[in-house]
Amino acid sequence: MATKPSPGRGAVAGHPMESQQQRKEIYTYEAPWTVFSLAWSNRIEQNSQFRLAIGSYIEQYNNTVQILRTKYQQQPNSENPTMQIYSACEIEHPYPCTKILWSPEGNKAGAGASAGGGANNFGGRDLLATTGDYLRLWSVSDDDEKGDGTLTHKREALLINNNRNSEYCSPLTSFDWNESDPSMIVTSSIDTTCTIWDINTQTVKTQVIAHDKEVFDLAFSRGTDVFASVGADGSVRLFDLRSLEHSTIIYETAKLEPLLRLEWNKQDPNYLATFKSDSQCTIILDIRQPCTPVTVLAGHAGCVNAVAWAPHSSCHICTAGDDSQALIWDLSQMAKRPIDDPILAYTAEGGVNNLQWSSSQPDWVSIAFADKLQILRV
């Protein structure tokens, strides 16, 4: 990961590809609004190195999701082509997205009915889900008529689960897409519930009252049955779909301060990461040793806003916050000693709102700050 922000402004700014020995690449896309939610597609594209989705944060009803792609262009007086990021598709979205995810099926063969059976083909549809007021599913495919690298979109589903005791639908704060069973999505809400959806049938499988207050985030473990959630009551709770009558509280903050985000280590599902509201620290938990963090990462000078485990490593994690820093940590020795310093650091041009580590191309991390999306090679 580079240690300096990319210079320059404009609609799209790119850095020339450097040698593999240097491996320092930073690419910047400037959106027409503040960027909040973002997600990497899990498919490998033939004519674009990356496909990402970003969501706007505009404090009004009309918001936008952009699908970004990349292309290489030869620049004057340059030996190497430069990667450019461009908007290939825009989706009108009511209210800001609280989260965006692409189907975990990605490039798998035989993607199944939920992805139109064609996710393994370059021209096939790619499923995208968003949460806000409701859970929405979209399909994205190449615009064959134009043939200029643009994409078309279609809304596949609008999933609403109204509380029978109210005529209103409680906003959704987050969701996760089960990687082992891509027909399953679980959403969290400010009404204290988590809802498990079957997106093939577009029906609710079950709903649980998960917390005493609002649920802010959740994540599946590896496999199909276990997920965890965090919320305004300051607890981390573990659920098993095979036995939803009970949940296990594996951690509570000392003064019941709200926990905002939760990330599960998919390479070693014994470990979770979370952080408190207005906190400069990231808490690492071992579910085999509940109640006490195995380590606390305290390298930020501002509030932590996002965290992401490395998709290819069980002991690396990236954190980002209001101090404009994105930090990568090596946790391999955390059982033996405190982890005081990150192994890599990057300084952005503003407080980082969100970050994602690409699972299909794990050399790349994306961050969002102000109206910018940056893609960083790590």
Side-chain angles (χ1 to χ4, degrees):
M1 184 180 286
T3 57
K4 60 181 181 179
S6 65
R9 294 184 61 82
V12 180
H15 281 238
M17 290 190 304
E18 301 184 69
S19 68
Q20 288 298 311
Q21 287 76 19
Q22 291 175 300
R23 294 175 63 83
K24 291 182 179 179
E25 295 181 55
I26 309 166
Y27 302 100
T28 304
Y29 174 79
E30 184 171 330
W33 23 254
T34 299
V35 180
F36 175 67
S37 49
L38 62 104
W40 292 87
S41 175
N42 295 303
R43 60 191 278 137
I44 305 298
E45 292 210 72
Q46 189 174 31
N47 299 315
S48 176
Q49 185 171 357
F50 305 120
R51 177 186 291 189
L52 300 98
I54 59 172
S56 64
Y57 183 81
I58 306 170
E59 294 185 9
Q60 59 187 39
Y61 180 80
N62 296 317
N63 275 258
T64 303
V65 173
Q66 284 187 345
I67 312 301
L68 306 181
R69 300 179 85 178
T70 57
K71 59 186 176 183
Y72 284 100
Q73 289 186 338
Q74 191 68 43
Q75 300 296 323
N77 304 318
S78 175
E79 295 181 2
N80 298 317
T82 299
M83 189 172 76
Q84 302 289 329
I85 308 171
Y86 67 96
S87 175
C89 178
E90 283 201 0
I91 302 172
E92 294 180 358
H93 196 280
Y95 304 107
C97 296
T98 53
K99 192 169 183 178
I100 304 175
L101 281 178
W102 295 87
S103 168
E105 288 179 306
N107 232 41
K108 294 178 183 177
S114 65
N120 59 312
N121 299 318
F122 291 121
R125 297 187 301 164
D126 200 4
L127 266 189
L128 179 75
T130 61
T131 46
D133 50 350
Y134 308 128
L135 171 65
R136 291 174 171 84
L137 296 175
W138 317 81
S139 63
V140 176
S141 55
D142 286 298
D143 191 338
D144 295 328
E145 291 185 5
K146 292 184 178 179
D148 58 356
T150 57
L151 299 166
T152 62
H153 71 276
K154 176 185 176 183
R155 197 183 78 189
E156 298 289 343
L158 175 64
L159 304 181
I160 306 170
N161 184 44
N162 278 315
N163 185 321
R164 292 179 176 83
N165 298 321
S166 173
E167 60 182 297
Y168 303 105
C169 187
S170 297
L172 302 177
T173 54
S174 186
F175 74 103
D176 198 18
W177 207 322
N178 191 286
E179 294 182 5
S180 299
D181 180 4
S183 70
M184 190 191 312
I185 283 178
V186 59
T187 59
S188 57
S189 174
I190 64 170
D191 68 1
T192 76
T193 65
C194 293
T195 304
I196 295 89
W197 296 88
D198 183 331
I199 63 171
N200 285 344
T201 60
Q202 300 183 20
T203 57
V204 173
K205 296 180 71 171
T206 189
Q207 186 179 66
V208 296
I209 297 175
H211 287 257
D212 299 329
K213 296 181 179 179
E214 300 97 320
V215 189
F216 288 146
D217 200 12
L218 46 71
F220 277 110
S221 177
R222 193 167 62 195
T224 59
D225 298 313
V226 177
F227 71 91
S229 60
V230 295
D233 60 6
S235 67
V236 180
R237 305 197 182 201
L238 212 60
F239 295 87
D240 191 320
L241 296 178
R242 296 163 295 190
S243 179
L244 285 173
E245 296 83 8
H246 308 283
S247 65
T248 303
I249 297 177
I250 61 171
Y251 177 73
E252 284 186 313
T253 53
K255 298 179 181 179
L256 301 182
E257 304 102 317
L259 291 167
L260 296 185
R261 292 289 177 264
L262 175 74
E263 288 288 329
W264 209 309
N265 186 333
K266 295 298 175 68
Q267 295 297 319
D268 186 345
N270 291 313
Y271 295 103
L272 296 166
T274 186
F275 55 86
K276 295 185 291 187
S277 173
D278 299 321
S279 171
Q280 299 178 7
C281 301
T282 301
I283 300 164
I284 308 298
L285 302 172
D286 185 340
I287 64 173
R288 299 166 298 185
Q289 302 171 356
C291 302
T292 303
V294 63
T295 194
V296 176
L297 308 177
H300 285 280
C303 297
V304 177
N305 293 326
V307 59
W309 291 94
H312 61 304
S313 168
S314 62
C315 59
H316 290 91
I317 193 169
C318 186
T319 61
D322 283 345
D323 60 355
S324 307
Q325 293 274 301
L327 308 176
I328 292 183
W329 307 79
D330 181 351
L331 306 184
S332 57
Q333 301 299 312
M334 65 181 173
K336 300 177 182 179
R337 58 176 175 81
I339 308 299
D340 296 323
D341 298 303
I343 58 171
L344 290 171
Y346 173 75
T347 303
E349 296 172 354
V352 181
N353 299 321
N354 210 336
L355 79 92
Q356 292 288 320
W357 202 321
S358 174
S359 60
S360 59
Q361 301 183 76
D363 288 345
W364 296 90
V365 169
S366 59
I367 61 172
F369 59 92
D371 59 351
K372 307 285 197 308
L373 166 84
Q374 278 191 337
I375 301 174
L376 316 170
R377 184 192 282 275
V378 297

